[in-house]
Amino acid sequence: MFTVIGIMFAGIGIGYLLRQKSLPWIGKAITFLIWLLLFLLGIEVGHNEQIIRSLPTLGMEAFIIATVCVLGSCLTAWGLWKYTNRREEDKA
């Protein structure tokens, strides 16, 4: 864990030192590396038999969590919209 944090802070330091330089290629490099990491993660997951056997359960749990999160966000947004409109109507 300290290695990961150390690498992150090293990247922050290098970024700070290079902030005056134009690096137009950095976005493409980051995108490529993210795709590579996702591909390698997929290989690792596909290789693990226990994860493959439990995918239906994991998929259902992920679907339930995502549905609850979306519903909670919608209800919160609706409540805030009602609250802000009520305050605007009181001013008028």
Side-chain angles (χ1 to χ4, degrees):
M1 182 166 164
F2 289 118
T3 304
V4 173
I5 293 171
I7 290 171
M8 185 179 71
F9 279 118
I12 291 170
I14 291 170
Y16 180 78
L17 294 173
L18 297 176
R19 69 183 183 276
Q20 302 299 328
K21 297 196 183 258
S22 176
L23 303 172
W25 53 270
I26 199 76
K28 289 181 181 180
I30 290 171
T31 300
F32 172 75
L33 290 172
I34 289 172
W35 283 108
L36 180 64
L37 285 171
L38 288 171
F39 178 73
L40 293 174
L41 178 64
I43 290 174
E44 183 68 27
V45 168
H47 185 70
N48 190 328
E49 289 183 35
Q50 185 177 3
I51 292 176
I52 295 298
R53 276 187 267 131
S54 62
L55 272 179
T57 304
L58 292 172
M60 183 55 71
E61 288 175 5
F63 175 76
I64 291 169
I65 290 170
T67 302
V68 169
C69 289
V70 168
L71 288 174
S73 295
C74 289
L75 286 172
T76 302
W78 176 77
L80 285 171
W81 182 76
K82 286 292 222 180
Y83 178 74
T84 56
N85 280 342
R86 179 180 58 91
R87 295 198 64 171
E88 287 177 6
E89 290 174 0
D90 290 344
K91 290 180 184 178

